[in-house]
Amino acid sequence: MHKNLILLLSTIILTFLWNVAPSFGATNDELAKQTQNPVADLISVPFQNNTNFGLGPHNRTQNILNIQPVVPFNLTDDVNLITRTILPIIRQPDLARTSGATNGLGDINLSLFLSPTNSGQVIWGLGPSLQFPTATDEVLGTRKWAAGPAGVALTIQGPWVVGALAQQVWSYAGNNDRTKVSAFLFQYFVNYNFKGGFYLTSAPIITANWEAASGNKWVVPVGGGMGKIFRIGKMPLNASTQAFYNVSQTTFGPDWTLRFQLQFLFPK
């Protein structure tokens, strides 16, 4: 029910934006670099699907579809506010068995980046990251309210877009029967852009659970893939695929991940 509601709302929003979208003048090359900048002045709605293989003793498969709308606001002539929301729709397999899974919404995360409009060669943004206990089942979330700092920095040099995003959240309220949250996320990204909106990319997400036992804290993937800006009528879209192998993982964590993303773009 929750999944159908989210998909319905996403369809309504995208249909509205599609119908009111102007004829965008930005070239595919320009749009490619904007999509690789987390604090670009660009409205976008990515649908990022991560399929994780080899979980638990029975090598189960987990699927997480992240709906990630990014909406910038021009607070002043000098400062933008970039809002990045992640709504995860999760299929969590029962790791103790060879069958059975729980489906639903996970904990929603909202990051708010304050970014100067003219930051020079190093583009950056800073702000809070907020996590809400919105999971529809206890196995899909933490049952905790959490918050902490987030930051991003990058540079664009010719065809290269290189940078990193980091956040740390700690729980401050929620179900007392659940473990406290102290979670770190670090994502570096390296992109090389070719003519026509085609690019090579590597953007693994490294995570650490500081509340876990020693030797079971880190998930460190390595890998990459490719992407392409294309258009359907007047609407620009960004499609990409990447594969990652986890060189460090938790006891029951996945061996590797396949990521596919389709991003709807609404340049100003």
Side-chain angles (χ1 to χ4, degrees), residues 3-259:
K3 180 178 179 180
N4 291 337
L5 178 60
I6 292 172
L7 292 177
L8 176 60
L9 290 174
S10 300
T11 301
I12 293 173
I13 293 171
L14 290 174
T15 301
F16 171 77
L17 291 171
W18 185 292
N19 289 331
V20 302
S23 180
F24 301 127
T27 67
N28 287 359
D29 294 350
E30 293 168 339
L31 286 174
K33 292 181 180 180
Q34 288 187 57
T35 63
Q36 296 156 18
N37 176 3
V39 290
D41 192 10
L42 168 72
I43 299 173
S44 68
V45 184
F47 290 77
Q48 183 191 97
N49 193 78
N50 294 277
T51 305
N52 301 310
F53 300 92
L55 280 80
H58 301 293
N59 292 317
R60 301 296 306 278
T61 300
Q62 176 196 58
N63 198 82
I64 303 175
L65 171 63
N66 290 323
I67 303 173
Q68 304 179 143
V70 179
V71 181
F73 297 92
N74 303 119
L75 298 184
T76 70
D77 291 339
D78 300 317
V79 178
N80 289 334
L81 173 65
I82 313 297
T83 68
R84 298 174 60 86
T85 306
I86 301 178
L87 298 90
I89 300 173
I90 305 172
R91 182 185 185 277
Q92 176 63 42
D94 185 343
L95 300 185
R97 300 188 298 166
T98 58
S99 62
T102 302
N103 300 285
L105 177 67
D107 291 341
I108 292 175
N109 180 271
L110 170 64
S111 295
L112 305 170
F113 294 102
L114 291 172
S115 177
T117 55
N118 297 297
S119 53
Q121 290 194 352
V122 177
I123 302 166
W124 59 273
L126 293 172
S129 181
L130 310 172
Q131 182 173 296
F132 309 100
T134 53
T136 54
D137 191 280
E138 62 180 4
V139 304
L140 303 178
T142 63
R143 292 289 193 256
K144 293 285 190 179
W145 299 81
V152 60
L154 69 142
T155 185
I156 301 175
Q157 302 292 332
W160 293 93
V161 179
V162 180
L165 181 151
Q167 70 177 45
Q168 166 72 39
V169 296
W170 298 272
S171 57
Y172 60 88
N175 192 324
N176 292 329
D177 296 331
R178 299 296 294 270
T179 303
K180 293 180 180 179
V181 172
S182 179
F184 174 72
L185 180 149
F186 179 80
Q187 181 180 30
Y188 69 83
F189 45 92
V190 180
N191 304 278
Y192 186 86
N193 293 278
F194 298 90
K195 295 293 184 180
F198 175 75
Y199 59 90
L200 300 178
T201 182
S202 178
I205 299 174
I206 300 169
T207 59
N209 177 5
W210 304 121
E211 295 293 328
S214 178
N216 205 37
K217 297 180 184 295
W218 289 92
V219 176
V220 181
V222 294
M226 64 187 69
K228 180 74 168 65
I229 302 292
F230 65 100
R231 296 174 188 255
I232 299 179
K234 61 185 178 180
M235 172 64 66
L237 298 99
N238 176 31
S240 64
T241 185
Q242 298 184 69
F244 304 99
Y245 176 74
N246 291 323
V247 296
S248 177
Q249 60 180 296
T250 60
T251 301
F252 295 107
D255 296 322
W256 66 284
T257 298
L258 181 63
R259 178 189 302 165

